[in-house]
Amino acid sequence: MQPQALQVFRAVAEHGSITAAARALRYTQSAVSRQIAALEAELGSPLFDRLPRGVALTEPGRCLLGHAEAVLDRLDAARRDLAALRDLTAGRLRVGAFPTAVAALVPQALATFRSAHPQVALSLVEGLTPGLLERLLAGDADVVVVSAAPDRPLDDERFDLHRLVDEVLLVAVPRTHRLAHRRTVRLRELAEDAFIAGSATAEETLLRATLPAGFRPRIDIVAAEWTGKLGCVAAGLGVALVPALAVRATPPDLALLRLHPDDASVRRVFAATVAGRSRPPAVQRFLTHLDAVAAGLR
């Protein structure tokens, strides 16, 4: 039973006349008669008694009418739901992001997205890039904002990578530091300083992509979270490399210095989705909000 045939059947039942149903549907009378005859032949039962004036439902016709109305109502509901997803008047958007992207980039994009599409349910989870990509593959996120050093590119065969911004690294030092008045420094000038890092092994930290030949930083304190890192720097316990996206979260008692071009490195920041899967309308629209915020952070 095709939906169109059920729609014609319902119209004839409602109007009690093939002629009136044809007029309401803007079909010819013969087209409606053929649809009813084909439906009766398919079901093996007469659905209407033909009367001198109009038609009347038979017992099989009355049985079918309830089912036809339920089917057509569900199809109408499905069309409305699909239209709501397309028009962003319903649905959800699940976003993942690495910690420094949660400092400004992603929240600002979510805020403007919510303002434009308040009926879309939003959620945000923070995590490290490898874990976020696993969540994406598992279907636990719709889009994730991740980062990669130039020497460790992300897998562009498994993921569609929408490039947002190239993020430079800055050096955070206490305001009382001997180099705090400088705008640019070389890493070798910090050879006497302890570095506050997320790992005791420099190769596993942000330092990995910026180390000049022969420079081995001294890492005395390991702190996983940015609040801890920056708190230690502010207390004068060392210096730290800070991604530019985290600048908003930097306390005022720190100075942020640029690295000399020979030492400078960037992290590439992407919005990732699973390769080969279509992007839902909410994700596609959210990418435009991310682009707008990223453009203002460059």
Side-chain angles (χ1 to χ4, degrees):
M1 288 180 285
Q2 297 299 316
Q4 184 180 18
L6 293 178
Q7 184 181 34
V8 169
F9 165 71
R10 182 173 66 176
V12 174
E14 288 176 349
H15 290 87
S17 163
I18 288 177
T19 301
R23 189 181 303 116
L25 296 170
R26 298 184 178 180
Y27 291 170
T28 64
Q29 182 176 337
S30 60
V32 172
S33 295
R34 286 195 301 272
Q35 289 268 20
I36 296 300
L39 190 57
E40 290 176 324
E42 181 181 354
L43 296 174
S45 298
L47 300 175
F48 295 101
D49 287 325
R50 275 65 172 177
L51 305 175
R53 292 188 177 182
V55 296
L57 284 166
T58 63
E59 187 66 21
R62 284 190 289 274
C63 177
L64 177 63
L65 182 59
H67 295 293
E69 289 177 334
V71 168
L72 293 171
D73 287 347
R74 287 298 298 271
L75 286 174
D76 286 342
R79 293 187 185 97
R80 288 194 299 271
D81 290 346
L82 290 171
L85 290 176
R86 183 182 62 249
D87 300 336
L88 300 181
T89 55
R92 67 181 183 182
L93 177 64
R94 300 168 300 165
V95 181
F98 65 96
T100 51
V102 179
L105 171 62
V106 173
Q108 289 182 25
L110 284 173
T112 58
F113 180 92
R114 170 171 281 173
S115 178
H117 311 289
Q119 293 169 294
V120 177
L122 299 180
S123 64
L124 171 64
V125 62
E126 181 183 296
L128 301 180
T129 290
L132 292 172
L133 293 174
E134 289 302 319
R135 290 181 68 93
L136 189 64
L137 290 172
D140 296 330
D142 301 309
V143 58
V144 294
V145 177
V146 294
S147 64
D151 61 334
R152 291 190 183 180
L154 299 176
D155 186 349
D156 58 5
E157 292 187 358
R158 289 198 300 166
F159 303 104
D160 285 332
L161 302 172
H162 180 85
R163 196 162 175 175
L164 295 171
V165 67
D166 287 347
E167 179 189 35
V168 298
L169 298 178
L170 308 173
V171 181
V173 301
R175 287 286 181 187
T176 56
H177 192 275
R178 67 187 186 282
L179 300 177
H181 65 285
R182 297 268 296 277
R183 299 183 65 180
T184 303
V185 295
R186 298 297 303 264
L187 278 174
R188 64 170 177 261
E189 296 179 273
L190 300 168
E192 299 176 5
D193 294 89
F195 277 76
I196 315 297
S199 168
T201 305
E203 285 72 15
E204 298 301 321
T205 71
L206 289 174
L207 287 164
R208 172 179 50 78
T210 60
L211 293 178
F215 180 79
R216 302 299 299 175
R218 188 178 89 249
I219 299 175
D220 291 343
I221 296 176
V222 174
E225 302 296 333
W226 283 105
T227 51
K229 287 187 181 76
L230 298 178
C232 289
V233 174
L237 296 175
V239 301
L241 286 182
V242 178
L245 289 180
V247 167
R248 181 180 291 268
T250 304
D253 50 356
L254 300 183
L256 293 175
L257 315 178
R258 289 186 173 274
L259 286 170
H260 187 276
D262 291 343
D263 294 343
S265 181
V266 297
R267 290 196 304 178
R268 292 172 180 164
V269 179
F270 302 92
T273 54
V274 179
R277 297 184 193 173
S278 59
R279 290 172 176 162
V283 170
Q284 196 63 42
R285 192 68 57 84
F286 181 59
L287 292 180
T288 65
H289 289 267
L290 281 172
D291 284 335
V293 176
L297 296 176
R298 293 190 182 107

